[in-house]
Amino acid sequence: ELKVEQNPLFLSMQEGKNYTIYCNYSTTSDRLYWYRQDPGKSLESLFVLLSNGAVKQEGRLMASLDTKARLSTLHITAAVHDLSATYFCAVDLTGNQFYFGTGTSLTVIP
Amino acid sequence: DSGVTQTPKHLITATGQRVTLRCSPRSGDLSVYWYQQSLDQGLQFLIQYYNGEERAKGNILERFSAQQFPDLHSELNLSSLELGDSALYFCASSVDFLSYEQYFGPGTRLTVT
């Protein structure tokens, strides 16, 4: 069974700082997704990464995919309070089955 | 607002009972996916339907079943409920059966007492 691990599970960071969330998965896949979930809310799609070396950026967030290392990263630049949320990565093996990571709960402190 | 609607928002029921959760996909989307989010298990894929047909199955219990109707709305039926079934159930939809972009509904919070 595919295993998807995220670290860290919890992240508390100061505004203005940079940090990276890691997503490792156990089986080869070239489709990986990042989602954001605010407390009590649904999931919001952030990035869709569909090939090795894919890099996507939106505002202060940048996601990348290394399929050979089975690793994706979500990099946060100059964090602001609005980025506080839980971030999930999800790996797609067959085109229609998502395996989600454990989630990283991010708190940005003023 | 993703355009995916789910009803009800909250559901409280007793062990052993049966409930039905409903999902309406975004206009034009043919695929519907069901997920369960709980503290114990995290986010788990349950099942996918595409244009009325089952396309993929994940960690869905035998006590659970789903269907997608001709108007493309979907229902998830949970029976013989146990305390451990308490969770947030999300529905998502996508245009095609290859789920490059999934749009999630607001979820139904099920509490089994």
Side-chain angles (χ1 to χ4, degrees):
Chain A
E1 181 182 307
L2 173 63
K3 299 231 182 277
V4 183
E5 294 181 347
Q6 281 181 241
N7 69 82
L9 296 183
F10 299 94
L11 176 56
S12 180
M13 55 190 298
Q14 285 194 307
E15 276 190 336
K17 299 291 187 184
N18 305 332
Y19 208 83
T20 300
I21 298 170
Y22 297 88
C23 174
N24 291 89
Y25 52 99
S26 60
T27 304
T28 301
S29 172
D30 57 4
R31 289 187 291 273
L32 189 133
Y33 309 81
W34 284 96
Y35 288 87
R36 168 184 172 141
Q37 186 178 35
D38 291 300
K41 302 289 186 182
S42 188
L43 282 85
E44 174 191 351
S45 176
L46 293 175
F47 300 109
V48 178
L49 304 170
L50 299 177
S51 61
N52 185 40
V55 177
K56 290 201 174 175
Q57 182 161 5
E58 179 76 33
R60 300 174 188 274
L61 300 178
M62 183 173 72
S64 66
L65 178 61
D66 181 343
T67 59
K68 293 177 183 175
R70 299 177 191 168
L71 171 69
S72 180
T73 60
L74 181 66
H75 186 73
I76 303 156
T77 302
V80 293
H81 181 69
D82 284 353
L83 291 180
S84 297
T86 299
Y87 293 85
F88 291 93
C89 64
V91 177
D92 177 9
L93 273 188
T94 59
N96 52 17
Q97 281 205 43
F98 278 23
Y99 293 84
F100 280 86
T102 47
T104 296
S105 177
L106 170 65
T107 303
V108 180
I109 303 166
Chain B
D1 184 355
S2 66
V4 178
T5 61
Q6 289 186 248
T7 57
K9 284 188 177 178
H10 302 278
L11 200 47
I12 301 174
T13 189
T15 54
Q17 295 297 306
R18 172 190 168 97
V19 297
T20 298
L21 313 183
R22 183 187 168 108
C23 168
S24 293
R26 291 187 326 153
S27 177
D29 284 0
L30 299 179
S31 258
V32 170
Y33 310 79
W34 285 98
Y35 294 88
Q36 179 195 59
Q37 185 176 32
S38 66
L39 287 175
D40 291 345
Q41 305 286 335
L43 255 170
Q44 289 196 100
F45 166 73
L46 295 178
I47 198 164
Q48 179 205 9
Y49 277 81
Y50 172 73
N51 206 19
E53 300 288 328
E54 181 185 305
R55 290 289 302 197
K57 238 176 182 176
N59 294 325
I60 188 165
L61 299 172
E62 284 191 12
R63 299 183 285 109
F64 296 0
S65 65
Q67 53 184 326
Q68 186 180 27
F69 295 86
D71 67 352
L72 301 177
H73 91 272
S74 178
E75 293 181 356
L76 179 66
N77 299 297
L78 315 175
S79 61
S80 303
L81 285 168
E82 303 175 359
L83 295 177
D85 297 328
S86 296
L88 200 49
Y89 290 85
F90 288 110
C91 160
S93 73
S94 67
V95 171
D96 205 344
F97 62 88
L98 289 180
S99 52
Y100 291 159
E101 195 83 48
Q102 289 190 16
Y103 297 87
F104 280 74
T108 293
R109 182 168 293 282
L110 173 66
T111 302
V112 182
T113 62

mmCIF file with all atom_site columns, all heavy atoms in Angstrom, chain B residues 22-42:
data_model
loop_
_atom_site.group_PDB
_atom_site.id
_atom_site.type_symbol
_atom_site.label_atom_id
_atom_site.label_alt_id
_atom_site.label_comp_id
_atom_site.label_asym_id
_atom_site.label_entity_id
_atom_site.label_seq_id
_atom_site.pdbx_PDB_ins_code
_atom_site.Cartn_x
_atom_site.Cartn_y
_atom_site.Cartn_z
_atom_site.occupancy
_atom_site.B_iso_or_equiv
_atom_site.pdbx_formal_charge
_atom_site.auth_seq_id
_atom_site.auth_comp_id
_atom_site.auth_asym_id
_atom_site.auth_atom_id
_atom_site.pdbx_PDB_model_num
ATOM 1   N N   . ARG B 1 22 ? -25.511 13.266 0.912   1.00 0.00 ? 22 ARG B N   1
ATOM 2   C CA  . ARG B 1 22 ? -25.765 13.629 -0.479  1.00 0.00 ? 22 ARG B CA  1
ATOM 3   C C   . ARG B 1 22 ? -24.748 14.644 -0.978  1.00 0.00 ? 22 ARG B C   1
ATOM 4   O O   . ARG B 1 22 ? -24.312 15.520 -0.223  1.00 0.00 ? 22 ARG B O   1
ATOM 5   C CB  . ARG B 1 22 ? -27.158 14.221 -0.594  1.00 0.00 ? 22 ARG B CB  1
ATOM 6   C CG  . ARG B 1 22 ? -27.582 14.574 -2.008  1.00 0.00 ? 22 ARG B CG  1
ATOM 7   C CD  . ARG B 1 22 ? -28.895 15.304 -2.032  1.00 0.00 ? 22 ARG B CD  1
ATOM 8   N NE  . ARG B 1 22 ? -29.129 15.880 -3.353  1.00 0.00 ? 22 ARG B NE  1
ATOM 9   C CZ  . ARG B 1 22 ? -30.028 15.411 -4.217  1.00 0.00 ? 22 ARG B CZ  1
ATOM 10  N NH1 . ARG B 1 22 ? -30.780 14.375 -3.888  1.00 0.00 ? 22 ARG B NH1 1
ATOM 11  N NH2 . ARG B 1 22 ? -30.187 15.986 -5.393  1.00 0.00 ? 22 ARG B NH2 1
ATOM 12  N N   . CYS B 1 23 ? -24.423 14.517 -2.262  1.00 0.00 ? 23 CYS B N   1
ATOM 13  C CA  . CYS B 1 23 ? -23.441 15.407 -2.884  1.00 0.00 ? 23 CYS B CA  1
ATOM 14  C C   . CYS B 1 23 ? -23.898 15.787 -4.288  1.00 0.00 ? 23 CYS B C   1
ATOM 15  O O   . CYS B 1 23 ? -24.285 14.912 -5.071  1.00 0.00 ? 23 CYS B O   1
ATOM 16  C CB  . CYS B 1 23 ? -22.088 14.697 -2.972  1.00 0.00 ? 23 CYS B CB  1
ATOM 17  S SG  . CYS B 1 23 ? -20.861 15.510 -4.021  1.00 0.00 ? 23 CYS B SG  1
ATOM 18  N N   . SER B 1 24 ? -23.826 17.063 -4.587  1.00 0.00 ? 24 SER B N   1
ATOM 19  C CA  . SER B 1 24 ? -24.066 17.533 -5.960  1.00 0.00 ? 24 SER B CA  1
ATOM 20  C C   . SER B 1 24 ? -22.774 18.113 -6.506  1.00 0.00 ? 24 SER B C   1
ATOM 21  O O   . SER B 1 24 ? -22.221 19.053 -5.925  1.00 0.00 ? 24 SER B O   1
ATOM 22  C CB  . SER B 1 24 ? -25.171 18.587 -5.976  1.00 0.00 ? 24 SER B CB  1
ATOM 23  O OG  . SER B 1 24 ? -26.407 18.027 -5.634  1.00 0.00 ? 24 SER B OG  1
ATOM 24  N N   . PRO B 1 25 ? -22.284 17.568 -7.600  1.00 0.00 ? 25 PRO B N   1
ATOM 25  C CA  . PRO B 1 25 ? -21.003 18.038 -8.144  1.00 0.00 ? 25 PRO B CA  1
ATOM 26  C C   . PRO B 1 25 ? -21.152 19.410 -8.806  1.00 0.00 ? 25 PRO B C   1
ATOM 27  O O   . PRO B 1 25 ? -22.258 19.913 -8.977  1.00 0.00 ? 25 PRO B O   1
ATOM 28  C CB  . PRO B 1 25 ? -20.651 16.967 -9.184  1.00 0.00 ? 25 PRO B CB  1
ATOM 29  C CG  . PRO B 1 25 ? -21.974 16.437 -9.628  1.00 0.00 ? 25 PRO B CG  1
ATOM 30  C CD  . PRO B 1 25 ? -22.860 16.494 -8.422  1.00 0.00 ? 25 PRO B CD  1
ATOM 31  N N   . ARG B 1 26 ? -20.017 19.996 -9.144  1.00 0.00 ? 26 ARG B N   1
ATOM 32  C CA  . ARG B 1 26 ? -20.025 21.239 -9.912  1.00 0.00 ? 26 ARG B CA  1
ATOM 33  C C   . ARG B 1 26 ? -20.705 20.987 -11.251 1.00 0.00 ? 26 ARG B C   1
ATOM 34  O O   . ARG B 1 26 ? -20.633 19.883 -11.798 1.00 0.00 ? 26 ARG B O   1
ATOM 35  C CB  . ARG B 1 26 ? -18.594 21.719 -10.212 1.00 0.00 ? 26 ARG B CB  1
ATOM 36  C CG  . ARG B 1 26 ? -17.795 22.201 -9.058  1.00 0.00 ? 26 ARG B CG  1
ATOM 37  C CD  . ARG B 1 26 ? -16.461 22.798 -9.524  1.00 0.00 ? 26 ARG B CD  1
ATOM 38  N NE  . ARG B 1 26 ? -15.916 22.128 -10.673 1.00 0.00 ? 26 ARG B NE  1
ATOM 39  C CZ  . ARG B 1 26 ? -15.107 22.686 -11.565 1.00 0.00 ? 26 ARG B CZ  1
ATOM 40  N NH1 . ARG B 1 26 ? -14.757 23.956 -11.440 1.00 0.00 ? 26 ARG B NH1 1
ATOM 41  N NH2 . ARG B 1 26 ? -14.625 21.999 -12.567 1.00 0.00 ? 26 ARG B NH2 1
ATOM 42  N N   . SER B 1 27 ? -21.318 22.023 -11.760 1.00 0.00 ? 27 SER B N   1
ATOM 43  C CA  . SER B 1 27 ? -21.954 21.913 -13.061 1.00 0.00 ? 27 SER B CA  1
ATOM 44  C C   . SER B 1 27 ? -20.928 21.483 -14.109 1.00 0.00 ? 27 SER B C   1
ATOM 45  O O   . SER B 1 27 ? -19.859 22.088 -14.232 1.00 0.00 ? 27 SER B O   1
ATOM 46  C CB  . SER B 1 27 ? -22.548 23.272 -13.440 1.00 0.00 ? 27 SER B CB  1
ATOM 47  O OG  . SER B 1 27 ? -23.106 23.231 -14.722 1.00 0.00 ? 27 SER B OG  1
ATOM 48  N N   . GLY B 1 28 ? -21.233 20.429 -14.835 1.00 0.00 ? 28 GLY B N   1
ATOM 49  C CA  . GLY B 1 28 ? -20.335 19.953 -15.886 1.00 0.00 ? 28 GLY B CA  1
ATOM 50  C C   . GLY B 1 28 ? -19.375 18.868 -15.450 1.00 0.00 ? 28 GLY B C   1
ATOM 51  O O   . GLY B 1 28 ? -18.750 18.221 -16.297 1.00 0.00 ? 28 GLY B O   1
ATOM 52  N N   . ASP B 1 29 ? -19.214 18.666 -14.148 1.00 0.00 ? 29 ASP B N   1
ATOM 53  C CA  . ASP B 1 29 ? -18.315 17.614 -13.675 1.00 0.00 ? 29 ASP B CA  1
ATOM 54  C C   . ASP B 1 29 ? -19.011 16.266 -13.698 1.00 0.00 ? 29 ASP B C   1
ATOM 55  O O   . ASP B 1 29 ? -20.154 16.144 -13.252 1.00 0.00 ? 29 ASP B O   1
ATOM 56  C CB  . ASP B 1 29 ? -17.839 17.921 -12.249 1.00 0.00 ? 29 ASP B CB  1
ATOM 57  C CG  . ASP B 1 29 ? -16.785 19.010 -12.211 1.00 0.00 ? 29 ASP B CG  1
ATOM 58  O OD1 . ASP B 1 29 ? -16.423 19.539 -13.298 1.00 0.00 ? 29 ASP B OD1 1
ATOM 59  O OD2 . ASP B 1 29 ? -16.320 19.337 -11.097 1.00 0.00 ? 29 ASP B OD2 1
ATOM 60  N N   . LEU B 1 30 ? -18.303 15.260 -14.205 1.00 0.00 ? 30 LEU B N   1
ATOM 61  C CA  . LEU B 1 30 ? -18.895 13.934 -14.328 1.00 0.00 ? 30 LEU B CA  1
ATOM 62  C C   . LEU B 1 30 ? -18.427 12.964 -13.242 1.00 0.00 ? 30 LEU B C   1
ATOM 63  O O   . LEU B 1 30 ? -19.048 11.932 -13.036 1.00 0.00 ? 30 LEU B O   1
ATOM 64  C CB  . LEU B 1 30 ? -18.547 13.342 -15.704 1.00 0.00 ? 30 LEU B CB  1
ATOM 65  C CG  . LEU B 1 30 ? -19.049 14.119 -16.913 1.00 0.00 ? 30 LEU B CG  1
ATOM 66  C CD1 . LEU B 1 30 ? -18.622 13.437 -18.201 1.00 0.00 ? 30 LEU B CD1 1
ATOM 67  C CD2 . LEU B 1 30 ? -20.572 14.267 -16.886 1.00 0.00 ? 30 LEU B CD2 1
ATOM 68  N N   . SER B 1 31 ? -17.310 13.291 -12.599 1.00 0.00 ? 31 SER B N   1
ATOM 69  C CA  . SER B 1 31 ? -16.749 12.404 -11.575 1.00 0.00 ? 31 SER B CA  1
ATOM 70  C C   . SER B 1 31 ? -17.072 12.921 -10.176 1.00 0.00 ? 31 SER B C   1
ATOM 71  O O   . SER B 1 31 ? -16.984 14.125 -9.917  1.00 0.00 ? 31 SER B O   1
ATOM 72  C CB  . SER B 1 31 ? -15.225 12.356 -11.701 1.00 0.00 ? 31 SER B CB  1
ATOM 73  O OG  . SER B 1 31 ? -14.809 11.184 -12.327 1.00 0.00 ? 31 SER B OG  1
ATOM 74  N N   . VAL B 1 32 ? -17.391 11.980 -9.318  1.00 0.00 ? 32 VAL B N   1
ATOM 75  C CA  . VAL B 1 32 ? -17.609 12.305 -7.907  1.00 0.00 ? 32 VAL B CA  1
ATOM 76  C C   . VAL B 1 32 ? -16.753 11.366 -7.065  1.00 0.00 ? 32 VAL B C   1
ATOM 77  O O   . VAL B 1 32 ? -16.659 10.170 -7.350  1.00 0.00 ? 32 VAL B O   1
ATOM 78  C CB  . VAL B 1 32 ? -19.096 12.137 -7.524  1.00 0.00 ? 32 VAL B CB  1
ATOM 79  C CG1 . VAL B 1 32 ? -19.259 12.229 -6.019  1.00 0.00 ? 32 VAL B CG1 1
ATOM 80  C CG2 . VAL B 1 32 ? -19.942 13.195 -8.207  1.00 0.00 ? 32 VAL B CG2 1
ATOM 81  N N   . TYR B 1 33 ? -16.115 11.923 -6.059  1.00 0.00 ? 33 TYR B N   1
ATOM 82  C CA  . TYR B 1 33 ? -15.263 11.164 -5.154  1.00 0.00 ? 33 TYR B CA  1
ATOM 83  C C   . TYR B 1 33 ? -15.769 11.364 -3.732  1.00 0.00 ? 33 TYR B C   1
ATOM 84  O O   . TYR B 1 33 ? -16.211 12.452 -3.377  1.00 0.00 ? 33 TYR B O   1
ATOM 85  C CB  . TYR B 1 33 ? -13.816 11.675 -5.202  1.00 0.00 ? 33 TYR B CB  1
ATOM 86  C CG  . TYR B 1 33 ? -13.241 11.799 -6.587  1.00 0.00 ? 33 TYR B CG  1
ATOM 87  C CD1 . TYR B 1 33 ? -13.569 12.885 -7.394  1.00 0.00 ? 33 TYR B CD1 1
ATOM 88  C CD2 . TYR B 1 33 ? -12.365 10.845 -7.088  1.00 0.00 ? 33 TYR B CD2 1
ATOM 89  C CE1 . TYR B 1 33 ? -13.041 13.014 -8.669  1.00 0.00 ? 33 TYR B CE1 1
ATOM 90  C CE2 . TYR B 1 33 ? -11.829 10.971 -8.359  1.00 0.00 ? 33 TYR B CE2 1
ATOM 91  C CZ  . TYR B 1 33 ? -12.183 12.055 -9.143  1.00 0.00 ? 33 TYR B CZ  1
ATOM 92  O OH  . TYR B 1 33 ? -11.658 12.172 -10.408 1.00 0.00 ? 33 TYR B OH  1
ATOM 93  N N   . TRP B 1 34 ? -15.642 10.334 -2.914  1.00 0.00 ? 34 TRP B N   1
ATOM 94  C CA  . TRP B 1 34 ? -15.989 10.443 -1.512  1.00 0.00 ? 34 TRP B CA  1
ATOM 95  C C   . TRP B 1 34 ? -14.735 10.177 -0.668  1.00 0.00 ? 34 TRP B C   1
ATOM 96  O O   . TRP B 1 34 ? -13.976 9.244  -0.940  1.00 0.00 ? 34 TRP B O   1
ATOM 97  C CB  . TRP B 1 34 ? -17.064 9.437  -1.122  1.00 0.00 ? 34 TRP B CB  1
ATOM 98  C CG  . TRP B 1 34 ? -18.417 9.807  -1.614  1.00 0.00 ? 34 TRP B CG  1
ATOM 99  C CD1 . TRP B 1 34 ? -19.063 9.346  -2.735  1.00 0.00 ? 34 TRP B CD1 1
ATOM 100 C CD2 . TRP B 1 34 ? -19.334 10.720 -0.985  1.00 0.00 ? 34 TRP B CD2 1
ATOM 101 N NE1 . TRP B 1 34 ? -20.312 9.920  -2.842  1.00 0.00 ? 34 TRP B NE1 1
ATOM 102 C CE2 . TRP B 1 34 ? -20.491 10.760 -1.782  1.00 0.00 ? 34 TRP B CE2 1
ATOM 103 C CE3 . TRP B 1 34 ? -19.287 11.500 0.172   1.00 0.00 ? 34 TRP B CE3 1
ATOM 104 C CZ2 . TRP B 1 34 ? -21.597 11.549 -1.456  1.00 0.00 ? 34 TRP B CZ2 1
ATOM 105 C CZ3 . TRP B 1 34 ? -20.370 12.288 0.497   1.00 0.00 ? 34 TRP B CZ3 1
ATOM 106 C CH2 . TRP B 1 34 ? -21.511 12.308 -0.313  1.00 0.00 ? 34 TRP B CH2 1
ATOM 107 N N   . TYR B 1 35 ? -14.571 11.010 0.365   1.00 0.00 ? 35 TYR B N   1
ATOM 108 C CA  . TYR B 1 35 ? -13.445 10.890 1.286   1.00 0.00 ? 35 TYR B CA  1
ATOM 109 C C   . TYR B 1 35 ? -13.963 10.936 2.720   1.00 0.00 ? 35 TYR B C   1
ATOM 110 O O   . TYR B 1 35 ? -14.968 11.567 3.017   1.00 0.00 ? 35 TYR B O   1
ATOM 111 C CB  . TYR B 1 35 ? -12.466 12.061 1.111   1.00 0.00 ? 35 TYR B CB  1
ATOM 112 C CG  . TYR B 1 35 ? -11.767 12.102 -0.222  1.00 0.00 ? 35 TYR B CG  1
ATOM 113 C CD1 . TYR B 1 35 ? -12.340 12.751 -1.301  1.00 0.00 ? 35 TYR B CD1 1
ATOM 114 C CD2 . TYR B 1 35 ? -10.531 11.487 -0.393  1.00 0.00 ? 35 TYR B CD2 1
ATOM 115 C CE1 . TYR B 1 35 ? -11.695 12.797 -2.525  1.00 0.00 ? 35 TYR B CE1 1
ATOM 116 C CE2 . TYR B 1 35 ? -9.876  11.537 -1.619  1.00 0.00 ? 35 TYR B CE2 1
ATOM 117 C CZ  . TYR B 1 35 ? -10.469 12.189 -2.676  1.00 0.00 ? 35 TYR B CZ  1
ATOM 118 O OH  . TYR B 1 35 ? -9.831  12.232 -3.891  1.00 0.00 ? 35 TYR B OH  1
ATOM 119 N N   . GLN B 1 36 ? -13.207 10.290 3.591   1.00 0.00 ? 36 GLN B N   1
ATOM 120 C CA  . GLN B 1 36 ? -13.493 10.341 5.016   1.00 0.00 ? 36 GLN B CA  1
ATOM 121 C C   . GLN B 1 36 ? -12.299 10.973 5.728   1.00 0.00 ? 36 GLN B C   1
ATOM 122 O O   . GLN B 1 36 ? -11.152 10.602 5.460   1.00 0.00 ? 36 GLN B O   1
ATOM 123 C CB  . GLN B 1 36 ? -13.717 8.920  5.553   1.00 0.00 ? 36 GLN B CB  1
ATOM 124 C CG  . GLN B 1 36 ? -14.007 8.853  7.038   1.00 0.00 ? 36 GLN B CG  1
ATOM 125 C CD  . GLN B 1 36 ? -13.853 7.429  7.565   1.00 0.00 ? 36 GLN B CD  1
ATOM 126 O OE1 . GLN B 1 36 ? -12.789 6.838  7.467   1.00 0.00 ? 36 GLN B OE1 1
ATOM 127 N NE2 . GLN B 1 36 ? -14.923 6.894  8.125   1.00 0.00 ? 36 GLN B NE2 1
ATOM 128 N N   . GLN B 1 37 ? -12.581 11.925 6.601   1.00 0.00 ? 37 GLN B N   1
ATOM 129 C CA  . GLN B 1 37 ? -11.501 12.534 7.386   1.00 0.00 ? 37 GLN B CA  1
ATOM 130 C C   . GLN B 1 37 ? -11.793 12.344 8.867   1.00 0.00 ? 37 GLN B C   1
ATOM 131 O O   . GLN B 1 37 ? -12.800 12.817 9.381   1.00 0.00 ? 37 GLN B O   1
ATOM 132 C CB  . GLN B 1 37 ? -11.342 14.016 7.079   1.00 0.00 ? 37 GLN B CB  1
ATOM 133 C CG  . GLN B 1 37 ? -10.149 14.640 7.787   1.00 0.00 ? 37 GLN B CG  1
ATOM 134 C CD  . GLN B 1 37 ? -9.931  16.098 7.417   1.00 0.00 ? 37 GLN B CD  1
ATOM 135 O OE1 . GLN B 1 37 ? -10.872 16.828 7.139   1.00 0.00 ? 37 GLN B OE1 1
ATOM 136 N NE2 . GLN B 1 37 ? -8.669  16.527 7.393   1.00 0.00 ? 37 GLN B NE2 1
ATOM 137 N N   . SER B 1 38 ? -10.909 11.636 9.550   1.00 0.00 ? 38 SER B N   1
ATOM 138 C CA  . SER B 1 38 ? -11.059 11.414 10.977  1.00 0.00 ? 38 SER B CA  1
ATOM 139 C C   . SER B 1 38 ? -9.717  11.621 11.644  1.00 0.00 ? 38 SER B C   1
ATOM 140 O O   . SER B 1 38 ? -8.673  11.583 10.994  1.00 0.00 ? 38 SER B O   1
ATOM 141 C CB  . SER B 1 38 ? -11.579 10.008 11.262  1.00 0.00 ? 38 SER B CB  1
ATOM 142 O OG  . SER B 1 38 ? -10.612 9.041  10.878  1.00 0.00 ? 38 SER B OG  1
ATOM 143 N N   . LEU B 1 39 ? -9.757  11.822 12.953  1.00 0.00 ? 39 LEU B N   1
ATOM 144 C CA  . LEU B 1 39 ? -8.516  12.030 13.691  1.00 0.00 ? 39 LEU B CA  1
ATOM 145 C C   . LEU B 1 39 ? -7.652  10.777 13.644  1.00 0.00 ? 39 LEU B C   1
ATOM 146 O O   . LEU B 1 39 ? -6.433  10.853 13.542  1.00 0.00 ? 39 LEU B O   1
ATOM 147 C CB  . LEU B 1 39 ? -8.825  12.419 15.139  1.00 0.00 ? 39 LEU B CB  1
ATOM 148 C CG  . LEU B 1 39 ? -9.363  13.825 15.332  1.00 0.00 ? 39 LEU B CG  1
ATOM 149 C CD1 . LEU B 1 39 ? -9.745  14.059 16.786  1.00 0.00 ? 39 LEU B CD1 1
ATOM 150 C CD2 . LEU B 1 39 ? -8.337  14.856 14.873  1.00 0.00 ? 39 LEU B CD2 1
ATOM 151 N N   . ASP B 1 40 ? -8.305  9.602  13.703  1.00 0.00 ? 40 ASP B N   1
ATOM 152 C CA  . ASP B 1 40 ? -7.550  8.338  13.730  1.00 0.00 ? 40 ASP B CA  1
ATOM 153 C C   . ASP B 1 40 ? -6.923  8.005  12.378  1.00 0.00 ? 40 ASP B C   1
ATOM 154 O O   . ASP B 1 40 ? -5.774  7.609  12.303  1.00 0.00 ? 40 ASP B O   1
ATOM 155 C CB  . ASP B 1 40 ? -8.478  7.174  14.114  1.00 0.00 ? 40 ASP B CB  1
ATOM 156 C CG  . ASP B 1 40 ? -8.911  7.278  15.559  1.00 0.00 ? 40 ASP B CG  1
ATOM 157 O OD1 . ASP B 1 40 ? -8.281  8.058  16.295  1.00 0.00 ? 40 ASP B OD1 1
ATOM 158 O OD2 . ASP B 1 40 ? -9.874  6.594  15.933  1.00 0.00 ? 40 ASP B OD2 1
ATOM 159 N N   . GLN B 1 41 ? -7.715  8.134  11.334  1.00 0.00 ? 41 GLN B N   1
ATOM 160 C CA  . GLN B 1 41 ? -7.302  7.631  10.024  1.00 0.00 ? 41 GLN B CA  1
ATOM 161 C C   . GLN B 1 41 ? -6.828  8.712  9.069   1.00 0.00 ? 41 GLN B C   1
ATOM 162 O O   . GLN B 1 41 ? -6.333  8.400  7.986   1.00 0.00 ? 41 GLN B O   1
ATOM 163 C CB  . GLN B 1 41 ? -8.471  6.874  9.367   1.00 0.00 ? 41 GLN B CB  1
ATOM 164 C CG  . GLN B 1 41 ? -9.051  5.753  10.205  1.00 0.00 ? 41 GLN B CG  1
ATOM 165 C CD  . GLN B 1 41 ? -8.127  4.561  10.240  1.00 0.00 ? 41 GLN B CD  1
ATOM 166 O OE1 . GLN B 1 41 ? -7.316  4.352  9.352   1.00 0.00 ? 41 GLN B OE1 1
ATOM 167 N NE2 . GLN B 1 41 ? -8.231  3.780  11.300  1.00 0.00 ? 41 GLN B NE2 1
ATOM 168 N N   . GLY B 1 42 ? -6.989  9.957  9.447   1.00 0.00 ? 42 GLY B N   1
ATOM 169 C CA  . GLY B 1 42 ? -6.622  11.019 8.524   1.00 0.00 ? 42 GLY B CA  1
ATOM 170 C C   . GLY B 1 42 ? -7.623  11.111 7.386   1.00 0.00 ? 42 GLY B C   1
ATOM 171 O O   . GLY B 1 42 ? -8.788  10.767 7.542   1.00 0.00 ? 42 GLY B O   1
#
